[in-house]
Structures are given as structure tokens and as C-alpha cells.
């Protein structure tokens, strides 16, 4: 027996991702019960997510949950949920910077924050990482503006630019920038950098896996032997980083890096989510790579120095990363010239309101037994 239920919903594109934005007050307190609702909303368990609003891809199977914040330095709280497409599993561990770009406009649209003339700063506490982000949203006439001339790779057309500034990004899940204590670890005979800045990642020089690092996402997804090896390395990296058994978690995220093909860019990246190649790059993943470039001895640092993008021992404040859909620009602010002390990392994203209304879902009379949920820390 199932029961039909409904919940207020706004579907939004945030950066290169898309999904429903919900109010925390409209969901049950239990995270297990929340997960059951999200799985039903998105239609998980089917490759097309045909019975829900997911798009059959990790980038369109994301949920943002927003509410008033009790934190003295935040206006709203944001909980991100990655809903698995094929498996009935929700991961509340990672953050998503792309969906975050929709949080500011949503908070203004729904009255959680009062719009100001010109630009409104929405202060967000991410509950997945317990870190703060400032979102500068264009609000001419005290109304959210989605129209503008900003373009971002991976999204067609133009839109209003939204500046995201990530504060206190070091050690979001592990408590340390280099959670293993090393700039380089060797796992399965491969040199790996394990780093935690905005999100935990493990970086590998693409050449060490016999790749150019410029393959398309589809080409990499069609390389099962490489993906299997990457997953073996990722699981061992998770253990070394203190994350435990990560077989049911999307963290740490694997990133392949190589020298940029365009002389104006810093590095070329291929980011995994974690078992498929991202068609662009996650904002938090881009922040982690941009941070790693200035950290002596990391995979990213070595490649940047060899390519002449950075002097040995120097810091890079403006970073441009190539990805399968184009590039992403980031500004990295170091305190006192210290490569491992980051004041903030900022970048520009765009967002669009797609629909607002009521979404319906049905729940079984008893919670499903095959649902696996990772809790936010």
C-alpha cells in the first residue's frame, strides 16, 4: 500500500547542475525519512528516473534543502543531497557548489532573506561541511535578476552572474589540508595527492594511468579497466584520509590532471563523481584543485611548475581550469602569502528558476530496506 503526498518545490538550475530546492521545514526530521522522500521524488532505481524528476545523470539528480539558519554569521542553512540514479541511495556527505548558486536566489524568492537594492549578499552555512559561503546575487529593484551577459562553460546562453566566496575551506571533512600528512602518497604504484579543501579529493597525473587527460567524459566512462583501478585507489585513499570505508560514499572525488592545452589556462582536469566522469567540474572540486596548485609538492603543483604556470615555492591567485565542457576561473586569496592558509576562494556561477509549485510523491507503508544513507557531519 502506498500513500500520495505533496511538498512545495522549486526546480532550479544551479551552475552546471539541476534539481529541486525544498524547505527543511517541509521535510521530516529523520534523515532516513528525508532520504526516502528524495528517492521517490527523483525516481531513483531506474536509469531514466522515469517515475520522478531526475534526469538520469548525477548532475541532474541533486537536491538542495534550505532553511533559516541559527548560526550568527549565516542567513540560511543549505543541506545538499546527492541522489543515486540507479541505486536507492542518498549521500548527504558531499557539498555541491553548483547547486549552491541557486540557494541565494531561492532564499530571496521565498522570503528567507530580504532583497537589497542592486546586489544582495546571502550568507549560507553549508550543513554538509559546517562551512560558510557568501553569495552575491544581482537584485536590481530589489528583485532577483536571472538575466545577464555572464556565460559559464557547460550551460547554454547567458545569465546574471552570481559570485560565490567560499570561506574557511581547509579540512572540511578530515580537519586537514593534507589529511595523510603528505603532499604525495603512493597507492597501487601510482603517485596520488590526497587533499581536503572545500571537498576531499585524490589527484592523479593522468599520464600515470596511461591517459592524455584530455579524453572526453564519454571516452573515460567507456574505459572499465581504468575506472576499476581508479576506484581501487580511491577506496585506499579514503582509508588513508581517515574517511573509513568509502565504498558507499562519493567522497573522496577522483581528479585527473595534466598540463593545460590552452596557454591562457592553468591546468586541465577530469573530475569523477566518483564512478563517472563529470561533464564539467564540480565547484568544490575546482576549489580543491585551485588550492592544491600552490601547495608545494602536490600533483597539481608539480604539473603547474613544469608547465611554467607557477614558480617553485610561489602562489597562484588566479586559476583557470580546463574541463570537458570548457573552463572555470577561480580567485584564490592566500593569507600573508602562505600557500596552505586560504582566506577565501571565489568564482562566478549562474542560476535559473525553472518552475515553482507542488511536487507529488508516494511512499510505501514501511521504509524500504535497500536504502543506504550517509549522514552529513
Amino acid at each position: 500500500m502506498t500513500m500520495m503526498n505533496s511538498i512545495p518545490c522549486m526546480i532550479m538550475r544551479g551552475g552546471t547542475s539541476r534539481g529541486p530546492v525544498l524547505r527543511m521545514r517541509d521535510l521530516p526530521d529523520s534523515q532516513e525519512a528525508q532520504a526516502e522522500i528524495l528517492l521517490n521524488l527523483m525516481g531513483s532505481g531506474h536509469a531514466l528516473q522515469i517515475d520522478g524528476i531526475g534526469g538520469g545523470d548525477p548532475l541532474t539528480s541533486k537536491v538542495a534543502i534550505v532553511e533559516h539558519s541559527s548560526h550568527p554569521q549565516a542567513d540560511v542553512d543549505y543541506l545538499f543531497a546527492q541522489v543515486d540514479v540507479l541505486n536507492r541511495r542518498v549521500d548527504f556527505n558531499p557539498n555541491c557548489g553548483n547547486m549552491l548558486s541557486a540557494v541565494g536566489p531561492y532564499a530571496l524568492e521565498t522570503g528567507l532573506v530580504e532583497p537589497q537594492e542592486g546586489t544582495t549578499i546571502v550568507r549560507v552555512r553549508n550543513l554538509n561541511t559546517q562551512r560558510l559561503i557568501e553569495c552575491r546575487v544581482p537584485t536590481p529593484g530589489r528583485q532577483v535578476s536571472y538575466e545577464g551577459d555572464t556565460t559559464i562553460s557547460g550551460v547554454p546562453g547567458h545569465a546574471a552572474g552570481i559570485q560565490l566566496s567560499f570561506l574557511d575551506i581547509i579540512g572540511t571533512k578530515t580537519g586537514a589540508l593534507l589529511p595523510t600528512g603528505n603532499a604525495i602518497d603512493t597507492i597501487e604504484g601510482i603517485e596520488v595527492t590526497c587533499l581536503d579543501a572545500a571537498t576531499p579529493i585524490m589527484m592523479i597525473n593522468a599520464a600515470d594511468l596511461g591517459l592524455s587527460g584530455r579524453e572526453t567524459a564519454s571516452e573515460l566512462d567507456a574505459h572499465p579497466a581504468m575506472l576499476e583501478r581508479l576506484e581501487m585507489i580511491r577506496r585506499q585513499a579514503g582509508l588513508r584520509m581517515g574517511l573509513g570505508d568509502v565504498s558507499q560514499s562519493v567522497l573522496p572525488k577522483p581528479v585527473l590532471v595534466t598540463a593545460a592545452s590552452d596557454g591562457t589556462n592553468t591546468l586541465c582536469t577530469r573530475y569523477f563523481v566518483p564512478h563517472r566522469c563529470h561533464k564539467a567540474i564540480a565547484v568544490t572540486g575546482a576549489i580543491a584543485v585551485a588550492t592544491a596548485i600552490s601547495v608545494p609538492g602536490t600533483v597539481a603543483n608539480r604539473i603547474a611548475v613544469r608547465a611554467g604556470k607557477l614558480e617553485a615555492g610561489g602562489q597562484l591567485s588566479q586559476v583557470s581550469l580546463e574541463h570537458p565542457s570548457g573552463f572555470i576561473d577561480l580567485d584564490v586569496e592566500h593569507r600573508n602569502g602562505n600557500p596552505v592558509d586560504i582566506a577565501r576562494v571565489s568564482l562566478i556561477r549562474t542560476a535559473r528558476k525553472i518552475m515553482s509549485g507542488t511536487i507529488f510523491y508516494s511512499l510505501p507503508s514501511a521504509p524500504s530496506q535497500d536504502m543506504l544513507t550517509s549522514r552529513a557531519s
Side-chain angles (χ1 to χ4, degrees):
M1 178 180 176
T2 59
M3 298 178 291
M4 185 61 72
N5 300 272
S6 65
I7 187 173
C9 170
M10 189 178 290
I11 297 177
M12 302 191 74
R13 175 186 63 77
T16 55
S17 298
R18 188 188 73 231
V21 188
L22 311 172
R23 287 284 295 270
M24 181 66 80
R25 70 177 186 185
D26 296 324
L27 293 168
D29 293 335
S30 161
Q31 203 160 77
E32 288 80 4
Q34 293 173 10
E36 191 71 55
I37 291 172
L38 301 187
L39 289 166
N40 191 280
L41 288 180
M42 304 306 286
S44 292
H46 186 278
L48 299 178
Q49 294 180 304
I50 197 68
D51 205 33
I53 62 170
D57 187 281
L59 303 186
T60 54
S61 191
K62 300 185 174 189
V63 180
I65 303 170
V66 182
E67 196 48 82
H68 284 290
S69 180
S70 61
H71 193 285
Q73 294 177 283
D75 301 307
V76 295
D77 288 340
Y78 158 52
L79 178 67
F80 170 68
Q82 180 69 61
V83 183
D84 199 301
V85 174
L86 291 175
N87 303 298
R88 292 187 60 79
R89 183 169 61 239
V90 181
D91 198 341
F92 290 99
N93 267 316
N95 181 16
C96 177
N98 276 298
M99 283 302 293
L100 170 67
S101 59
V103 170
Y106 175 83
L108 294 164
E109 293 266 15
T110 55
L112 288 168
V113 176
E114 182 178 352
Q116 305 300 308
E117 178 57 49
T119 300
T120 303
I121 298 176
V122 179
R123 302 173 304 165
V124 179
R125 174 175 63 165
N126 176 240
L127 295 180
N128 308 84
T129 62
Q130 298 299 322
R131 302 305 167 98
L132 300 174
I133 307 101
E134 291 180 353
C135 306
R136 294 178 177 268
V137 183
T139 49
R142 296 179 180 265
Q143 299 289 325
V144 177
S145 174
Y146 297 99
E147 304 299 322
D149 58 5
T150 298
T151 62
I152 62 173
S153 297
V155 177
H158 302 73
I162 298 171
Q163 184 187 65
L164 306 179
S165 293
F166 288 73
L167 316 176
D168 190 22
I169 63 168
I170 302 302
T172 54
K173 287 293 182 181
T174 66
L177 178 63
L178 298 172
T180 69
N182 306 312
I184 291 289
D185 291 278
T186 301
I187 304 176
E188 297 285 324
I190 298 292
E191 290 191 334
V192 176
T193 291
C194 299
L195 183 136
D196 184 0
T199 193
I201 64 168
M202 45 153 281
M203 285 186 298
I204 297 175
N205 186 331
D208 290 344
L209 292 177
L211 300 167
S212 71
R214 298 187 179 88
E215 291 84 357
T216 66
S218 297
E219 288 171 339
L220 291 170
D221 289 346
H223 202 318
M226 184 277 297
L227 292 173
E228 182 177 351
R229 190 178 188 195
L230 197 62
E231 175 63 8
M232 289 176 60
I233 297 171
R234 188 185 79 87
R235 292 188 185 189
Q236 291 191 44
L239 289 172
R240 296 193 188 192
M241 296 171 79
L243 297 171
D245 180 2
V246 298
S247 59
Q248 300 298 323
S249 173
V250 299
L251 301 177
K253 299 288 184 67
V255 189
L256 305 183
V257 291
T258 193
S261 59
D262 186 327
T264 61
N265 296 321
T266 312
L267 286 181
C268 180
T269 63
R270 293 297 183 264
Y271 180 86
F272 292 77
V273 291
H275 307 122
R276 295 169 66 179
C277 183
H278 200 301
K279 293 180 176 60
I281 188 171
V283 165
T284 49
I287 290 171
V289 175
T291 300
I293 288 171
S294 294
V295 179
T298 66
V299 170
N301 175 262
R302 290 178 177 182
I303 294 174
V305 170
R306 282 200 301 267
K309 301 296 183 179
L310 176 69
E311 292 185 4
Q315 290 88 49
L316 206 58
S317 60
Q318 293 184 315
V319 172
S320 183
L321 301 176
E322 296 175 358
H323 56 73
S325 299
F327 64 92
I328 183 171
D329 294 326
L330 305 98
D331 292 325
V332 184
E333 183 180 331
H334 298 91
R335 291 188 183 92
N336 304 315
N338 187 340
V340 298
D341 189 2
I342 311 298
R344 65 175 61 208
V345 179
S346 303
L347 67 158
I348 302 294
R349 297 278 86 185
T350 64
R352 185 170 89 84
K353 180 172 66 172
I354 296 173
M355 67 79 63
S356 180
T358 301
I359 189 167
F360 294 88
Y361 62 93
S362 59
L363 291 178
S365 55
S368 80
Q369 299 301 308
D370 58 350
M371 180 185 65
L372 296 174
T373 306
S374 297
R375 290 185 174 275
S377 61

